Amino acid sequence: MRTLRYWPVVLGALLALGLVPAATVAADSGSTPRDHASTLTRQNADLAARSRGVVLELYSLDARLARERARLVTLRIRTAEVKGELAAAHQRLRVAQHTLNVSERSLASRLALLYEQGDTDPLAIVLGANSIADALGNLDSLDRIADQDRIVIEQTRQAKHTAGALSRQLAAKEHNLLGLSQEASQSTLVLEQSRLQRASYLATLASRQRLNAAAIAAYQQQALAVEAKAREVSAVSPTQPASPVPISPGGRSLTVVATGYSIHGHTATGAPTGWGVVAVDPSVIPLGTRLTIPGYGSGVAADTGSAIQGATIDLWFPTVAQARAWGRRTVTISLH
């Protein structure tokens, strides 16, 4: 049984519109429109499966992207808080330094005044006192002033040390937070780019599905058209005898080698074999072309065969005897 093969005119239109890649069409030029439609249907099923996978990937990317963005916001808020704490620590450090400077200058001024007054020697203070109580009071005042100065200076130095240590800790924490924020920002950017790429790929898959659907519809329409022509010719002349028929005026003439055959059944398109169903080489005679064959009658190019190449055709006959009677002969046919 010959396999019906189509090379419909619609392929030219699809190529012109860019709906079917030229390389694919050239490689599958021996397939029927229904074969093409089935292939594209399988491709669409594969594209749909891939699309579902990409959608799941997008869901995952969206979830990761949301988490990374939330982390970035948290890090930026914490960085701002640490900057505020660091600024306050710097301010405390400046205050402590200022207090220390003032205390040291005050102590220096008092010591200079005591030396100028000659009251720094405890023995002199005692000898210069009017009474023992006065002497003890003067000594106690001198010690109290010295102790107060030491306490102020020690507390100020401790505050300066604490503020300095805190500033260094906060500076290190700020540096670490800035690094984490930069890392989160870069990770967010990578996720956004990945999402854009997957979304673009999903759009490409959807576009290919739409183009395949359009091509499937075109192939199916062409298959139905050729089937209708084959049925029309078979219905008009189911058992037409081989009799001379003139070449139709205005048609394109072509000299071919015609061979008779008799096989009952259906072609790959579903059209039944019958009188007028002619097997051709689609690269020479486009499928669907109406033919006028001298000695045979009208026909339609609706079948192909592996041995039919170039300017050769096969003509269907109801009986083996009729096919043998026709044999193999050279005729000039009309294409219209």
Side-chain angles (χ1 to χ4, degrees):
M1 175 74 187
R2 287 175 174 75
T3 300
L4 181 63
R5 302 179 187 276
Y6 289 98
W7 184 240
V9 177
V10 71
L11 289 181
L14 291 172
L15 282 170
L17 293 173
L19 298 181
V20 179
T24 301
V25 173
D28 298 337
S29 60
S31 300
T32 68
R34 292 194 183 280
D35 290 338
H36 284 300
S38 297
T39 299
L40 292 176
T41 300
R42 289 192 296 271
Q43 287 181 7
N44 269 7
D46 177 66
L47 291 173
R50 279 192 275 173
S51 296
R52 289 191 293 272
V54 174
V55 169
L56 293 177
E57 290 178 15
L58 285 175
Y59 285 152
S60 175
L61 284 172
D62 284 340
R64 291 171 57 193
L65 188 57
R67 290 195 298 269
E68 204 63 27
R69 284 172 175 169
R71 175 171 172 258
L72 179 58
V73 170
T74 300
L75 287 171
R76 286 175 174 173
I77 292 174
R78 184 57 187 145
T79 301
E81 293 174 347
V82 170
K83 282 185 177 180
E85 294 174 7
L86 183 58
H90 286 162
Q91 179 62 25
R92 288 196 294 272
L93 183 60
R94 286 193 294 270
V95 171
Q97 183 63 49
H98 177 71
T99 301
L100 180 61
N101 292 339
V102 171
S103 298
E104 288 176 345
R105 285 197 299 270
S106 177
L107 178 59
S109 298
R110 260 196 305 276
L111 288 174
L113 181 61
L114 288 173
Y115 276 110
E116 289 174 359
Q117 293 176 349
D119 295 336
T120 58
D121 187 358
L123 180 60
I125 292 175
V126 171
L127 295 176
N130 295 324
S131 64
I132 293 176
D134 187 29
L136 292 175
N138 289 338
L139 287 173
D140 184 60
S141 297
L142 181 62
D143 289 341
R144 189 166 54 252
I145 291 172
D147 288 341
Q148 289 176 348
D149 286 338
R150 282 197 302 272
I151 290 172
V152 170
I153 291 175
E154 183 62 26
Q155 289 177 342
T156 304
R157 285 177 176 171
Q158 183 61 36
K160 179 182 176 182
H161 175 75
T162 302
L166 180 60
S167 296
R168 289 190 294 273
Q169 290 176 0
L170 290 172
K173 185 179 291 187
E174 180 189 27
H175 178 75
N176 183 53
L177 286 170
L178 288 174
L180 291 175
S181 296
Q182 184 176 4
E183 176 187 337
S185 179
Q186 183 64 29
S187 178
T188 299
L189 180 61
V190 170
L191 288 172
E192 288 174 346
Q193 291 175 343
S194 296
R195 192 191 184 286
L196 285 175
Q197 290 173 353
R198 302 312 289 169
S200 176
Y201 180 53
L202 183 62
T204 299
L205 292 177
S207 176
R208 287 175 59 186
Q209 285 180 279
R210 289 193 297 271
L211 295 179
N212 281 353
I216 289 169
Y219 282 130
Q220 289 175 340
Q221 287 181 348
Q222 184 64 19
L224 291 174
V226 174
E227 290 172 24
K229 288 183 181 180
R231 289 192 178 95
E232 178 186 343
V233 171
S234 296
V236 172
S237 305
T239 57
Q240 180 176 344
S243 58
V245 177
I247 295 176
S248 175
R252 182 169 67 89
S253 297
L254 178 67
T255 299
V256 297
V257 176
T259 303
Y261 76 97
S262 178
I263 299 176
H264 295 271
H266 290 77
T267 63
T269 63
T273 56
W275 195 279
V277 176
V278 182
V280 299
D281 182 347
S283 64
V284 177
I285 301 174
L287 290 166
T289 302
R290 288 185 177 275
L291 310 171
T292 300
I293 304 104
Y296 181 82
S298 298
V300 60
D303 198 359
T304 62
S306 59
I308 302 173
Q309 298 180 359
T312 61
I313 62 174
D314 277 6
L315 304 176
W316 187 89
F317 289 89
T319 66
V320 174
Q322 288 175 304
R324 288 177 177 172
W326 175 273
R328 182 181 180 87
R329 65 181 71 175
T330 300
V331 294
T332 299
I333 65 175
S334 178
L335 287 64
H336 49 89

